[in-house]
Amino acid sequence: MKSKANAQPILQPVVELRGEGALFAYAVRAPRSKGVIPPSSYRNSGFATLAECLHDVGRALGGDFKRIYVRLDGHCVGERDIVELYAAPEKVAAELKAECDALNALRCVAG
């Protein structure tokens, strides 16, 4: 039996979602390590909606990971279970967009 001291850390990738004009794209990378942001290991683009983009993320990463860190248009908008991305992409897209809008509003007030 493995002890917690010997347990391997679980890799939880970061998914960077962004709007590109009328389309959406994403890139996958490892988390920041010692202040260094690693390069993206995978990219995909050309999605008509954020929900379609999230569904593709879920499909692409679902066999390898349980959770991801999510960034949307430069904002950290939390963590998500992969299963949510392909089971309810419209709901997740609405929640992420609301979080991003709230962060943008805070930036405007602070700035």
Side-chain angles (χ1 to χ4, degrees):
M1 178 166 18
K2 288 184 178 181
S3 71
K4 283 189 176 186
N6 293 334
Q8 293 284 332
I10 297 172
L11 177 63
Q12 188 170 318
V14 177
V15 174
E16 303 264 0
L17 303 160
R18 68 188 177 287
E20 294 182 334
L23 301 176
F24 289 88
Y26 71 91
V28 179
R29 65 173 172 79
R32 180 186 311 241
S33 177
K34 297 179 182 165
V36 176
I37 297 175
S40 298
S41 59
Y42 180 78
R43 297 176 187 271
N44 204 351
S45 60
F47 298 97
T49 67
L50 181 56
E52 287 176 17
C53 189
L54 290 168
H55 188 267
D56 194 71
V57 170
R59 184 192 54 73
L61 300 179
D64 298 317
F65 304 100
K66 292 182 85 108
R67 290 183 65 78
I68 58 170
Y69 296 107
V70 182
R71 294 181 58 83
L72 176 58
D73 290 331
H75 295 291
C76 180
V77 290
E79 298 177 65
R80 290 292 176 153
D81 289 331
I82 292 286
V83 70
E84 289 181 281
L85 304 183
Y86 55 83
E90 293 84 9
K91 177 180 177 270
V92 174
E95 291 171 359
L96 295 177
K97 180 82 168 93
E99 180 68 20
C100 189
D101 289 346
L103 291 167
N104 281 331
L106 284 174
R107 181 183 289 169
C108 289
V109 170

